[in-house]
Amino acid sequence: MRVLLVEDSVRLQQSLGKALSQSGYKVDLSGDGEHGLWLAEANDYDALILDVMLPKLDGLTVLRRLRAGGAQTPILLLTARDTVADRVDGLQTGADDYLVKPFALQELLARVQVLCRRHYATRSNRLALGDLELDLTARTVTRGGQPLDLTARELRLLEYLVRRRGQIVTRGEIETHIYDDAVDLMSNVVDSAICTLRKKLEAPGCPPLIHTKRGLGYTLKEPV
């Protein structure tokens, strides 16, 4: 899942960016509204975390321009303002959620997870495909009732494939939504990750879940 964080406090930006990355998200960072707006318009994000008080362009102006341009990305506003009028203003401008500073890190992560679910039109933190089950709250995966040991990034990759079940997912889409820009995308990092995930999903006597569409990408299908 790919998230944009627009926050001008360097300390908060770094701490939130680190926490999101450790939770398996691909995170893009911006410190001002003008640059944040450019990133939001130029890329496909699963969720956007937007501080209200920003230099160059304030968060509500960024939000207003995104919605006026037709952007449907779920947006979480961060603000130190906690009056009812402020919350109503943010929500009526087009925000999907509102979080008042200071906040607990786990609450922010939970809210981002909800927004990503909303982006894929699902309501539950539990995903299932045949005998494969993902609990995104507990961050656990089982197949046939047996727990699988996945890294945070492998879990996000599997979540992305499950949410796109039955569709062909290209290598570029996986790079865009899962991997940081620091990763050398000219390498075989995606192919290697898919290979590792495929092996971890293998179960005795069960057909494979991940299929390669040569020249196109990958697809996750429930076994017939």
Side-chain angles (χ1 to χ4, degrees):
M1 301 294 107
R2 188 178 186 184
V3 175
L4 172 62
L5 170 62
V6 188
E7 167 61 59
D8 63 325
S9 166
V10 175
R11 182 183 60 82
L12 186 57
Q13 183 190 101
Q14 290 178 345
S15 63
L16 294 182
K18 181 178 179 181
L20 288 162
S21 294
Q22 289 177 338
S23 295
Y25 293 99
K26 174 179 178 179
V27 187
D28 291 344
L29 303 173
S30 178
D32 68 75
E34 192 174 88
H35 180 243
L37 176 62
W38 179 80
L39 285 174
E41 291 178 331
N43 298 285
D44 180 22
Y45 293 103
D46 297 296
L48 197 161
I49 306 169
L50 181 64
D51 189 23
V52 171
M53 300 299 292
L54 292 169
K56 297 187 179 180
L57 284 178
D58 66 85
L60 290 180
T61 299
V62 173
L63 173 60
R64 192 174 292 110
R65 292 189 183 182
L66 286 173
R67 294 305 188 224
Q72 299 298 313
T73 307
I75 296 176
L76 169 64
L77 285 181
L78 303 181
T79 181
R81 300 174 177 175
D82 61 353
T83 68
V84 172
D86 288 324
R87 292 196 294 271
V88 169
D89 190 22
L91 293 171
Q92 288 184 338
T93 302
D96 296 87
D97 202 355
Y98 198 100
L99 192 56
V100 178
K101 299 177 181 178
F103 50 81
L105 178 59
Q106 290 304 314
E107 181 177 5
L108 178 132
L109 292 175
R111 288 173 183 253
V112 171
Q113 188 168 288
V114 169
L115 292 185
C116 288
R117 288 204 320 253
R118 184 177 300 172
H119 185 62
Y120 290 94
T122 57
R123 294 181 178 274
S124 175
N125 267 343
R126 292 179 178 271
L127 300 175
L129 183 76
D131 62 350
L132 178 69
E133 295 185 1
L134 288 75
D135 185 329
L136 301 178
T137 300
R139 297 173 67 182
T140 59
V141 180
T142 61
R143 186 172 188 194
Q146 298 301 310
L148 305 180
D149 183 19
L150 303 186
T151 66
R153 194 174 300 280
E154 287 169 347
L155 176 59
R156 291 301 175 192
L157 173 56
L158 180 58
E159 177 191 354
Y160 185 60
L161 292 174
V162 172
R163 292 193 187 281
R164 298 280 305 274
R165 67 186 69 188
Q167 303 175 30
I168 295 176
V169 181
T170 68
R171 189 175 185 273
E173 286 174 324
I174 294 173
E175 291 172 350
T176 296
H177 284 266
I178 305 298
Y179 290 96
D180 296 327
D181 293 336
V183 173
D184 181 7
L185 298 179
M186 295 303 291
S187 69
N188 66 343
V189 62
V190 171
D191 301 327
S192 178
I194 290 289
C195 181
T196 300
L197 183 59
R198 182 182 276 134
K199 289 179 179 178
K200 290 187 176 184
L201 293 178
E202 287 180 355
C206 295
L209 296 176
I210 301 176
H211 304 270
T212 300
K213 298 296 184 181
R214 192 171 299 278
L216 298 175
Y218 307 94
T219 184
L220 191 76
K221 291 183 178 180
E222 182 174 355
V224 178

